[in-house]
Amino acid sequence: METHEKGFFTEENSVEVVTGRNKNAKDKRLKAVMEVITRKLHEAVKEIEPTQDEWFEAIVFLTKTGQLSTEWRQEFILLSDILGVSMLVDAINNRKPSGASESTVLGPFHVADAPKLPMGANICLDHKGEDMFVHGRILDTEGRPIANAVLDVWQANEEGFYDVQQKGIQPDFNLRGVFRTGADGKYWIRAVKPKSYSIPDDGTVGKLLNALGRHPCRPAHLHYILKADGFETLTTHIFDPDDFYINSDAVFGVKESLLAAFKRIDDPARAKTYEFDNPFWDVEHDFVLARRPAPQV
Ligand code: BEZ
Ligand code: FE
């Protein structure tokens, strides 16, 4: 027996025996990660003391979660979302300097090749929903406008579905577009008021939520990815603070700083200039990007 082979496995020495076997791991990061995971997992099993049937149920759950995952549907990401792990990884990797806008989850419905549109374009291609004017500025942490910033926006329709979930029902690229700011850093977009919606809940994650007495809904939001040369990319949302689910987002994505004011405007003349029905909604929200640190030499 080599020194790192700690002998036979017992309930008491389970962690040392298992982690000891990894002594010669080639990848040091993997070794360190597996040490933590083994320790925490064994601790959980020792505290829970699952029956053989319960453990098998867990295995079946994970198996089905994998089997449900395809190019179009990632049930494991949903699992990570509803466990709060996606938001935790996001928080750890996006610690922002003071004054910069906060990030939140990307979600599964971003598409990489959305159309590039002129500022002011209407992203709602089927004219369904309550008209909404969304505008603001993209700034640096000193309050200066960022020219040539790219704003990639996408949202669900008034029934709570993204275009990619309703192929053949919604027009392709409905409610999404990519805009670029001018020298003043301003953006303005015509859209529709988003509604709350359910994350896909017909799989293992939906069953788990139901068993836990939790709903699968997300409060109404718009998604953004903001990019500009010399700045950290920001993946974020703005939320409707009056939404019924604002305090119980199924994936924990809401942050106080991401609440925007959705104002109902009754102004027929202004509505006409946007080719909107009156009344309509107005949301003003500025985004602040953090400067990318200079590369270490
Ligand atoms: C979304 O907001 O698009 C989303 C985020 C996490 C899970 C499902 C959907
Ligand atoms: Fe969403």
Side-chain angles (χ1 to χ4, degrees), residues 183-228:
D184 57 6
K186 287 187 179 164
Y187 73 90
W188 63 100
I189 299 164
R190 288 177 296 153
V192 291
K193 189 166 191 275
K195 297 274 166 70
S196 54
Y197 64 81
S198 169
I199 64 169
D201 70 340
D202 55 346
T204 49
V205 169
K207 283 205 186 77
L208 178 62
L209 284 174
N210 189 37
L212 292 171
R214 282 170 57 178
H215 68 73
C217 295
R218 300 212 64 206
H221 57 270
L222 276 90
H223 290 259
Y224 297 92
I225 297 176
L226 295 145
K227 291 185 181 174

mmCIF file of all heavy atoms in Angstrom, residues 183-228:
data_model
loop_
_atom_site.group_PDB
_atom_site.id
_atom_site.type_symbol
_atom_site.label_atom_id
_atom_site.label_comp_id
_atom_site.label_asym_id
_atom_site.label_seq_id
_atom_site.Cartn_x
_atom_site.Cartn_y
_atom_site.Cartn_z
ATOM 1 N N ALA A 183 -22.212 59.002 -30.062
ATOM 2 C CA ALA A 183 -21.261 59.693 -29.182
ATOM 3 C C ALA A 183 -21.871 60.061 -27.825
ATOM 4 O O ALA A 183 -21.164 60.154 -26.825
ATOM 5 C CB ALA A 183 -20.756 60.951 -29.871
ATOM 6 N N ASP A 184 -23.214 60.243 -27.788
ATOM 7 C CA ASP A 184 -23.866 60.646 -26.526
ATOM 8 C C ASP A 184 -24.163 59.460 -25.602
ATOM 9 O O ASP A 184 -24.679 59.646 -24.505
ATOM 10 C CB ASP A 184 -25.152 61.424 -26.825
ATOM 11 C CG ASP A 184 -26.135 60.617 -27.688
ATOM 12 O OD1 ASP A 184 -25.866 59.416 -27.947
ATOM 13 O OD2 ASP A 184 -27.164 61.183 -28.095
ATOM 14 N N GLY A 185 -23.849 58.236 -26.036
ATOM 15 C CA GLY A 185 -24.063 57.046 -25.209
ATOM 16 C C GLY A 185 -25.534 56.699 -25.010
ATOM 17 O O GLY A 185 -25.864 55.806 -24.232
ATOM 18 N N LYS A 186 -26.425 57.393 -25.744
ATOM 19 C CA LYS A 186 -27.865 57.166 -25.518
ATOM 20 C C LYS A 186 -28.379 55.971 -26.310
ATOM 21 O O LYS A 186 -27.881 55.690 -27.405
ATOM 22 C CB LYS A 186 -28.658 58.415 -25.926
ATOM 23 C CG LYS A 186 -28.483 59.556 -24.951
ATOM 24 C CD LYS A 186 -29.408 60.700 -25.313
ATOM 25 C CE LYS A 186 -29.223 61.816 -24.293
ATOM 26 N NZ LYS A 186 -29.784 63.071 -24.759
ATOM 27 N N TYR A 187 -29.385 55.315 -25.737
ATOM 28 C CA TYR A 187 -30.098 54.280 -26.501
ATOM 29 C C TYR A 187 -31.592 54.529 -26.371
ATOM 30 O O TYR A 187 -32.054 55.103 -25.379
ATOM 31 C CB TYR A 187 -29.724 52.859 -26.014
ATOM 32 C CG TYR A 187 -30.324 52.513 -24.666
ATOM 33 C CD1 TYR A 187 -31.581 51.901 -24.568
ATOM 34 C CD2 TYR A 187 -29.659 52.820 -23.491
ATOM 35 C CE1 TYR A 187 -32.134 51.597 -23.341
ATOM 36 C CE2 TYR A 187 -30.220 52.520 -22.250
ATOM 37 C CZ TYR A 187 -31.454 51.910 -22.182
ATOM 38 O OH TYR A 187 -32.011 51.624 -20.962
ATOM 39 N N TRP A 188 -32.346 54.144 -27.377
ATOM 40 C CA TRP A 188 -33.805 54.185 -27.315
ATOM 41 C C TRP A 188 -34.356 53.120 -28.242
ATOM 42 O O TRP A 188 -33.899 52.948 -29.374
ATOM 43 C CB TRP A 188 -34.357 55.592 -27.594
ATOM 44 C CG TRP A 188 -34.073 56.156 -28.954
ATOM 45 C CD1 TRP A 188 -34.918 56.186 -30.019
ATOM 46 C CD2 TRP A 188 -32.851 56.787 -29.393
ATOM 47 N NE1 TRP A 188 -34.301 56.787 -31.088
ATOM 48 C CE2 TRP A 188 -33.044 57.168 -30.737
ATOM 49 C CE3 TRP A 188 -31.625 57.071 -28.776
ATOM 50 C CZ2 TRP A 188 -32.054 57.801 -31.486
ATOM 51 C CZ3 TRP A 188 -30.640 57.708 -29.525
ATOM 52 C CH2 TRP A 188 -30.858 58.069 -30.844
ATOM 53 N N ILE A 189 -35.314 52.374 -27.691
ATOM 54 C CA ILE A 189 -35.822 51.171 -28.369
ATOM 55 C C ILE A 189 -37.335 51.140 -28.204
ATOM 56 O O ILE A 189 -37.840 51.469 -27.128
ATOM 57 C CB ILE A 189 -35.235 49.907 -27.681
ATOM 58 C CG1 ILE A 189 -33.711 49.897 -27.781
ATOM 59 C CG2 ILE A 189 -35.818 48.631 -28.262
ATOM 60 C CD1 ILE A 189 -33.076 48.918 -26.805
ATOM 61 N N ARG A 190 -38.025 50.716 -29.247
ATOM 62 C CA ARG A 190 -39.461 50.464 -29.079
ATOM 63 C C ARG A 190 -39.660 48.958 -28.860
ATOM 64 O O ARG A 190 -39.073 48.145 -29.579
ATOM 65 C CB ARG A 190 -40.232 50.984 -30.287
ATOM 66 C CG ARG A 190 -40.276 52.512 -30.306
ATOM 67 C CD ARG A 190 -40.974 53.055 -31.531
ATOM 68 N NE ARG A 190 -40.259 52.731 -32.734
ATOM 69 C CZ ARG A 190 -40.821 52.610 -33.944
ATOM 70 N NH1 ARG A 190 -42.115 52.789 -34.090
ATOM 71 N NH2 ARG A 190 -40.088 52.320 -34.988
ATOM 72 N N ALA A 191 -40.467 48.626 -27.864
ATOM 73 C CA ALA A 191 -40.641 47.227 -27.470
ATOM 74 C C ALA A 191 -42.071 47.058 -26.951
ATOM 75 O O ALA A 191 -42.936 47.883 -27.267
ATOM 76 C CB ALA A 191 -39.615 46.883 -26.396
ATOM 77 N N VAL A 192 -42.324 45.998 -26.202
ATOM 78 C CA VAL A 192 -43.632 45.854 -25.535
ATOM 79 C C VAL A 192 -43.400 45.547 -24.058
ATOM 80 O O VAL A 192 -42.327 45.051 -23.682
ATOM 81 C CB VAL A 192 -44.518 44.741 -26.160
ATOM 82 C CG1 VAL A 192 -44.992 45.127 -27.542
ATOM 83 C CG2 VAL A 192 -43.818 43.390 -26.170
ATOM 84 N N LYS A 193 -44.407 45.837 -23.250
ATOM 85 C CA LYS A 193 -44.262 45.606 -21.806
ATOM 86 C C LYS A 193 -44.112 44.096 -21.569
ATOM 87 O O LYS A 193 -44.966 43.313 -22.011
ATOM 88 C CB LYS A 193 -45.487 46.142 -21.068
ATOM 89 C CG LYS A 193 -45.323 46.153 -19.568
ATOM 90 C CD LYS A 193 -46.410 46.997 -18.928
ATOM 91 C CE LYS A 193 -46.107 47.226 -17.463
ATOM 92 N NZ LYS A 193 -46.565 46.132 -16.616
ATOM 93 N N PRO A 194 -43.018 43.680 -20.922
ATOM 94 C CA PRO A 194 -42.854 42.235 -20.695
ATOM 95 C C PRO A 194 -43.828 41.743 -19.624
ATOM 96 O O PRO A 194 -44.328 42.530 -18.825
ATOM 97 C CB PRO A 194 -41.405 42.128 -20.201
ATOM 98 C CG PRO A 194 -41.098 43.461 -19.603
ATOM 99 C CD PRO A 194 -41.937 44.480 -20.324
ATOM 100 N N LYS A 195 -44.082 40.445 -19.638
ATOM 101 C CA LYS A 195 -44.955 39.820 -18.635
ATOM 102 C C LYS A 195 -44.155 38.750 -17.895
ATOM 103 O O LYS A 195 -43.168 38.236 -18.423
ATOM 104 C CB LYS A 195 -46.157 39.151 -19.329
ATOM 105 C CG LYS A 195 -47.062 40.118 -20.076
ATOM 106 C CD LYS A 195 -48.109 40.720 -19.156
ATOM 107 C CE LYS A 195 -48.807 41.921 -19.765
ATOM 108 N NZ LYS A 195 -49.695 41.596 -20.859
ATOM 109 N N SER A 196 -44.625 38.415 -16.714
ATOM 110 C CA SER A 196 -43.983 37.299 -16.005
ATOM 111 C C SER A 196 -44.242 36.008 -16.792
ATOM 112 O O SER A 196 -45.195 35.932 -17.564
ATOM 113 C CB SER A 196 -44.542 37.179 -14.593
ATOM 114 O OG SER A 196 -45.942 37.081 -14.643
ATOM 115 N N TYR A 197 -43.371 35.035 -16.613
ATOM 116 C CA TYR A 197 -43.562 33.765 -17.327
ATOM 117 C C TYR A 197 -42.967 32.632 -16.512
ATOM 118 O O TYR A 197 -42.186 32.856 -15.580
ATOM 119 C CB TYR A 197 -42.946 33.817 -18.728
ATOM 120 C CG TYR A 197 -41.439 33.985 -18.745
ATOM 121 C CD1 TYR A 197 -40.594 32.903 -18.559
ATOM 122 C CD2 TYR A 197 -40.869 35.238 -18.948
ATOM 123 C CE1 TYR A 197 -39.214 33.060 -18.571
ATOM 124 C CE2 TYR A 197 -39.500 35.410 -18.964
ATOM 125 C CZ TYR A 197 -38.679 34.321 -18.771
ATOM 126 O OH TYR A 197 -37.321 34.470 -18.771
ATOM 127 N N SER A 198 -43.341 31.427 -16.919
ATOM 128 C CA SER A 198 -42.825 30.227 -16.246
ATOM 129 C C SER A 198 -41.559 29.750 -16.958
ATOM 130 O O SER A 198 -41.539 29.706 -18.192
ATOM 131 C CB SER A 198 -43.895 29.134 -16.295
ATOM 132 O OG SER A 198 -43.336 27.913 -15.880
ATOM 133 N N ILE A 199 -40.533 29.398 -16.218
ATOM 134 C CA ILE A 199 -39.406 28.712 -16.840
ATOM 135 C C ILE A 199 -39.909 27.321 -17.264
ATOM 136 O O ILE A 199 -40.954 26.868 -16.761
ATOM 137 C CB ILE A 199 -38.183 28.607 -15.882
ATOM 138 C CG1 ILE A 199 -38.499 27.746 -14.655
ATOM 139 C CG2 ILE A 199 -37.698 29.986 -15.466
ATOM 140 C CD1 ILE A 199 -37.265 27.395 -13.828
ATOM 141 N N PRO A 200 -39.234 26.653 -18.201
ATOM 142 C CA PRO A 200 -39.739 25.335 -18.625
ATOM 143 C C PRO A 200 -39.916 24.429 -17.390
ATOM 144 O O PRO A 200 -38.970 24.194 -16.651
ATOM 145 C CB PRO A 200 -38.634 24.828 -19.562
ATOM 146 C CG PRO A 200 -37.979 26.089 -20.074
ATOM 147 C CD PRO A 200 -38.026 27.059 -18.933
ATOM 148 N N ASP A 201 -41.149 23.966 -17.163
ATOM 149 C CA ASP A 201 -41.417 23.235 -15.906
ATOM 150 C C ASP A 201 -42.037 21.865 -16.159
ATOM 151 O O ASP A 201 -42.648 21.284 -15.266
ATOM 152 C CB ASP A 201 -42.303 24.075 -14.971
ATOM 153 C CG ASP A 201 -43.715 24.217 -15.487
ATOM 154 O OD1 ASP A 201 -43.932 24.018 -16.700
ATOM 155 O OD2 ASP A 201 -44.606 24.515 -14.669
ATOM 156 N N ASP A 202 -41.870 21.364 -17.406
ATOM 157 C CA ASP A 202 -42.434 20.053 -17.730
ATOM 158 C C ASP A 202 -41.403 18.932 -17.580
ATOM 159 O O ASP A 202 -41.618 17.819 -18.051
ATOM 160 C CB ASP A 202 -43.009 20.065 -19.152
ATOM 161 C CG ASP A 202 -41.975 20.516 -20.178
ATOM 162 O OD1 ASP A 202 -40.918 21.057 -19.769
ATOM 163 O OD2 ASP A 202 -42.201 20.319 -21.386
ATOM 164 N N GLY A 203 -40.288 19.222 -16.934
ATOM 165 C CA GLY A 203 -39.248 18.204 -16.754
ATOM 166 C C GLY A 203 -38.964 17.958 -15.283
ATOM 167 O O GLY A 203 -39.783 18.263 -14.406
ATOM 168 N N THR A 204 -37.787 17.422 -15.020
ATOM 169 C CA THR A 204 -37.419 17.065 -13.642
ATOM 170 C C THR A 204 -37.374 18.295 -12.731
ATOM 171 O O THR A 204 -37.759 18.225 -11.565
ATOM 172 C CB THR A 204 -36.037 16.370 -13.631
ATOM 173 O OG1 THR A 204 -35.128 17.153 -14.406
ATOM 174 C CG2 THR A 204 -36.106 14.972 -14.191
ATOM 175 N N VAL A 205 -36.906 19.424 -13.279
ATOM 176 C CA VAL A 205 -36.784 20.632 -12.460
ATOM 177 C C VAL A 205 -38.172 21.141 -12.059
ATOM 178 O O VAL A 205 -38.396 21.526 -10.903
ATOM 179 C CB VAL A 205 -35.969 21.706 -13.211
ATOM 180 C CG1 VAL A 205 -36.041 23.049 -12.533
ATOM 181 C CG2 VAL A 205 -34.510 21.243 -13.331
ATOM 182 N N GLY A 206 -39.116 21.093 -13.001
ATOM 183 C CA GLY A 206 -40.495 21.492 -12.695
ATOM 184 C C GLY A 206 -41.087 20.608 -11.607
ATOM 185 O O GLY A 206 -41.750 21.090 -10.673
ATOM 186 N N LYS A 207 -40.826 19.294 -11.708
ATOM 187 C CA LYS A 207 -41.351 18.351 -10.694
ATOM 188 C C LYS A 207 -40.750 18.654 -9.323
ATOM 189 O O LYS A 207 -41.433 18.613 -8.297
ATOM 190 C CB LYS A 207 -41.014 16.910 -11.082
ATOM 191 C CG LYS A 207 -41.892 16.358 -12.175
ATOM 192 C CD LYS A 207 -41.951 14.812 -12.088
ATOM 193 C CE LYS A 207 -42.699 14.247 -13.269
ATOM 194 N NZ LYS A 207 -41.880 14.240 -14.515
ATOM 195 N N LEU A 208 -39.444 18.964 -9.322
ATOM 196 C CA LEU A 208 -38.779 19.272 -8.052
ATOM 197 C C LEU A 208 -39.378 20.538 -7.433
ATOM 198 O O LEU A 208 -39.687 20.581 -6.230
ATOM 199 C CB LEU A 208 -37.266 19.433 -8.287
ATOM 200 C CG LEU A 208 -36.435 19.807 -7.064
ATOM 201 C CD1 LEU A 208 -36.515 18.728 -5.972
ATOM 202 C CD2 LEU A 208 -34.960 20.028 -7.451
ATOM 203 N N LEU A 209 -39.549 21.582 -8.274
ATOM 204 C CA LEU A 209 -40.133 22.830 -7.761
ATOM 205 C C LEU A 209 -41.506 22.561 -7.148
ATOM 206 O O LEU A 209 -41.822 23.033 -6.050
ATOM 207 C CB LEU A 209 -40.275 23.855 -8.901
ATOM 208 C CG LEU A 209 -39.004 24.562 -9.357
ATOM 209 C CD1 LEU A 209 -39.290 25.434 -10.577
ATOM 210 C CD2 LEU A 209 -38.391 25.406 -8.238
ATOM 211 N N ASN A 210 -42.300 21.775 -7.867
ATOM 212 C CA ASN A 210 -43.651 21.470 -7.404
ATOM 213 C C ASN A 210 -43.606 20.728 -6.062
ATOM 214 O O ASN A 210 -44.330 21.069 -5.123
ATOM 215 C CB ASN A 210 -44.344 20.631 -8.491
ATOM 216 C CG ASN A 210 -45.809 20.459 -8.192
ATOM 217 O OD1 ASN A 210 -46.452 21.385 -7.689
ATOM 218 N ND2 ASN A 210 -46.332 19.285 -8.467
ATOM 219 N N ALA A 211 -42.691 19.751 -5.977
ATOM 220 C CA ALA A 211 -42.580 18.975 -4.733
ATOM 221 C C ALA A 211 -42.129 19.854 -3.572
ATOM 222 O O ALA A 211 -42.444 19.582 -2.410
ATOM 223 C CB ALA A 211 -41.593 17.821 -4.939
ATOM 224 N N LEU A 212 -41.379 20.918 -3.906
ATOM 225 C CA LEU A 212 -40.888 21.816 -2.854
ATOM 226 C C LEU A 212 -41.889 22.930 -2.536
ATOM 227 O O LEU A 212 -41.595 23.824 -1.727
ATOM 228 C CB LEU A 212 -39.551 22.449 -3.285
ATOM 229 C CG LEU A 212 -38.368 21.488 -3.387
ATOM 230 C CD1 LEU A 212 -37.173 22.173 -4.034
ATOM 231 C CD2 LEU A 212 -37.986 20.959 -2.003
ATOM 232 N N GLY A 213 -43.051 22.901 -3.209
ATOM 233 C CA GLY A 213 -44.061 23.941 -2.975
ATOM 234 C C GLY A 213 -43.643 25.275 -3.555
ATOM 235 O O GLY A 213 -44.048 26.324 -3.046
ATOM 236 N N ARG A 214 -42.816 25.239 -4.620
ATOM 237 C CA ARG A 214 -42.355 26.488 -5.241
ATOM 238 C C ARG A 214 -42.980 26.656 -6.622
ATOM 239 O O ARG A 214 -43.182 25.681 -7.330
ATOM 240 C CB ARG A 214 -40.821 26.447 -5.407
ATOM 241 C CG ARG A 214 -40.077 26.728 -4.129
ATOM 242 C CD ARG A 214 -38.596 26.454 -4.265
ATOM 243 N NE ARG A 214 -37.955 27.209 -5.346
ATOM 244 C CZ ARG A 214 -36.636 27.141 -5.599
ATOM 245 N NH1 ARG A 214 -35.855 26.357 -4.860
ATOM 246 N NH2 ARG A 214 -36.114 27.844 -6.578
ATOM 247 N N HIS A 215 -43.243 27.920 -7.003
ATOM 248 C CA HIS A 215 -43.747 28.180 -8.360
ATOM 249 C C HIS A 215 -42.554 28.295 -9.329
ATOM 250 O O HIS A 215 -41.429 28.551 -8.898
ATOM 251 C CB HIS A 215 -44.617 29.447 -8.377
ATOM 252 C CG HIS A 215 -43.837 30.694 -8.119
ATOM 253 N ND1 HIS A 215 -42.973 31.237 -9.051
ATOM 254 C CD2 HIS A 215 -43.755 31.506 -7.038
ATOM 255 C CE1 HIS A 215 -42.415 32.319 -8.560
ATOM 256 N NE2 HIS A 215 -42.856 32.500 -7.325
ATOM 257 N N PRO A 216 -42.801 28.141 -10.638
ATOM 258 C CA PRO A 216 -41.690 28.195 -11.611
ATOM 259 C C PRO A 216 -41.557 29.557 -12.305
ATOM 260 O O PRO A 216 -40.936 29.633 -13.363
ATOM 261 C CB PRO A 216 -42.113 27.130 -12.622
ATOM 262 C CG PRO A 216 -43.615 27.220 -12.635
ATOM 263 C CD PRO A 216 -44.053 27.645 -11.250
ATOM 264 N N CYS A 217 -42.121 30.617 -11.724
ATOM 265 C CA CYS A 217 -42.239 31.873 -12.488
ATOM 266 C C CYS A 217 -41.096 32.853 -12.258
ATOM 267 O O CYS A 217 -40.494 32.889 -11.180
ATOM 268 C CB CYS A 217 -43.563 32.550 -12.144
ATOM 269 S SG CYS A 217 -44.932 31.528 -12.713
ATOM 270 N N ARG A 218 -40.865 33.642 -13.300
ATOM 271 C CA ARG A 218 -39.929 34.753 -13.242
ATOM 272 C C ARG A 218 -40.724 36.046 -13.388
ATOM 273 O O ARG A 218 -41.620 36.129 -14.226
ATOM 274 C CB ARG A 218 -38.905 34.691 -14.389
ATOM 275 C CG ARG A 218 -38.042 33.431 -14.398
ATOM 276 C CD ARG A 218 -36.664 33.758 -14.954
ATOM 277 N NE ARG A 218 -36.004 34.695 -14.070
ATOM 278 C CZ ARG A 218 -35.060 35.566 -14.421
ATOM 279 N NH1 ARG A 218 -34.660 35.614 -15.678
ATOM 280 N NH2 ARG A 218 -34.519 36.391 -13.550
ATOM 281 N N PRO A 219 -40.388 37.083 -12.620
ATOM 282 C CA PRO A 219 -41.070 38.369 -12.812
ATOM 283 C C PRO A 219 -40.699 38.979 -14.161
ATOM 284 O O PRO A 219 -39.642 38.672 -14.722
ATOM 285 C CB PRO A 219 -40.537 39.225 -11.646
ATOM 286 C CG PRO A 219 -39.243 38.603 -11.268
ATOM 287 C CD PRO A 219 -39.344 37.135 -11.585
ATOM 288 N N ALA A 220 -41.580 39.865 -14.665
ATOM 289 C CA ALA A 220 -41.371 40.488 -15.977
ATOM 290 C C ALA A 220 -40.024 41.194 -16.043
ATOM 291 O O ALA A 220 -39.655 41.923 -15.115
ATOM 292 C CB ALA A 220 -42.485 41.496 -16.240
ATOM 293 N N HIS A 221 -39.308 40.973 -17.160
ATOM 294 C CA HIS A 221 -37.968 41.564 -17.288
ATOM 295 C C HIS A 221 -37.586 41.702 -18.754
ATOM 296 O O HIS A 221 -38.163 41.044 -19.627
ATOM 297 C CB HIS A 221 -36.923 40.700 -16.564
ATOM 298 C CG HIS A 221 -36.883 39.288 -17.059
ATOM 299 N ND1 HIS A 221 -37.660 38.294 -16.518
ATOM 300 C CD2 HIS A 221 -36.177 38.694 -18.068
ATOM 301 C CE1 HIS A 221 -37.434 37.157 -17.156
ATOM 302 N NE2 HIS A 221 -36.543 37.374 -18.117
ATOM 303 N N LEU A 222 -36.576 42.526 -18.999
ATOM 304 C CA LEU A 222 -35.897 42.581 -20.297
ATOM 305 C C LEU A 222 -34.464 42.150 -20.067
ATOM 306 O O LEU A 222 -33.852 42.516 -19.052
ATOM 307 C CB LEU A 222 -35.885 44.003 -20.865
ATOM 308 C CG LEU A 222 -37.127 44.446 -21.622
ATOM 309 C CD1 LEU A 222 -38.106 45.074 -20.667
ATOM 310 C CD2 LEU A 222 -36.761 45.440 -22.707
ATOM 311 N N HIS A 223 -33.924 41.397 -21.017
ATOM 312 C CA HIS A 223 -32.525 40.944 -20.937
ATOM 313 C C HIS A 223 -31.626 41.878 -21.732
ATOM 314 O O HIS A 223 -32.018 42.333 -22.822
ATOM 315 C CB HIS A 223 -32.364 39.575 -21.599
ATOM 316 C CG HIS A 223 -32.984 38.445 -20.865
ATOM 317 N ND1 HIS A 223 -32.259 37.587 -20.088
ATOM 318 C CD2 HIS A 223 -34.260 38.008 -20.815
ATOM 319 C CE1 HIS A 223 -33.058 36.660 -19.601
ATOM 320 N NE2 HIS A 223 -34.289 36.900 -20.019
ATOM 321 N N TYR A 224 -30.406 42.059 -21.229
ATOM 322 C CA TYR A 224 -29.410 42.843 -21.963
ATOM 323 C C TYR A 224 -28.038 42.190 -21.869
ATOM 324 O O TYR A 224 -27.670 41.674 -20.801
ATOM 325 C CB TYR A 224 -29.236 44.236 -21.359
ATOM 326 C CG TYR A 224 -30.457 45.108 -21.413
ATOM 327 C CD1 TYR A 224 -31.350 45.137 -20.354
ATOM 328 C CD2 TYR A 224 -30.708 45.905 -22.517
ATOM 329 C CE1 TYR A 224 -32.469 45.947 -20.392
ATOM 330 C CE2 TYR A 224 -31.822 46.723 -22.569
ATOM 331 C CZ TYR A 224 -32.702 46.737 -21.502
ATOM 332 O OH TYR A 224 -33.807 47.538 -21.556
ATOM 333 N N ILE A 225 -27.280 42.284 -22.964
ATOM 334 C CA ILE A 225 -25.823 42.114 -22.883
ATOM 335 C C ILE A 225 -25.241 43.410 -23.433
ATOM 336 O O ILE A 225 -25.597 43.836 -24.546
ATOM 337 C CB ILE A 225 -25.319 40.913 -23.701
ATOM 338 C CG1 ILE A 225 -25.895 39.607 -23.155
ATOM 339 C CG2 ILE A 225 -23.784 40.859 -23.673
ATOM 340 C CD1 ILE A 225 -25.518 38.373 -23.974
ATOM 341 N N LEU A 226 -24.375 44.049 -22.651
ATOM 342 C CA LEU A 226 -23.781 45.328 -23.054
ATOM 343 C C LEU A 226 -22.288 45.139 -23.216
ATOM 344 O O LEU A 226 -21.614 44.624 -22.309
ATOM 345 C CB LEU A 226 -24.075 46.381 -21.980
ATOM 346 C CG LEU A 226 -25.568 46.671 -21.854
ATOM 347 C CD1 LEU A 226 -25.951 46.966 -20.436
ATOM 348 C CD2 LEU A 226 -25.942 47.810 -22.745
ATOM 349 N N LYS A 227 -21.784 45.586 -24.385
ATOM 350 C CA LYS A 227 -20.350 45.430 -24.674
ATOM 351 C C LYS A 227 -19.793 46.752 -25.158
ATOM 352 O O LYS A 227 -20.472 47.460 -25.932
ATOM 353 C CB LYS A 227 -20.138 44.409 -25.792
ATOM 354 C CG LYS A 227 -20.468 42.992 -25.392
ATOM 355 C CD LYS A 227 -20.114 42.041 -26.511
ATOM 356 C CE LYS A 227 -20.495 40.622 -26.080
ATOM 357 N NZ LYS A 227 -20.333 39.643 -27.089
ATOM 358 N N ALA A 228 -18.584 47.071 -24.761
ATOM 359 C CA ALA A 228 -17.898 48.254 -25.315
ATOM 360 C C ALA A 228 -16.409 48.026 -25.154
ATOM 361 O O ALA A 228 -15.970 47.415 -24.163
ATOM 362 C CB ALA A 228 -18.330 49.524 -24.578
#
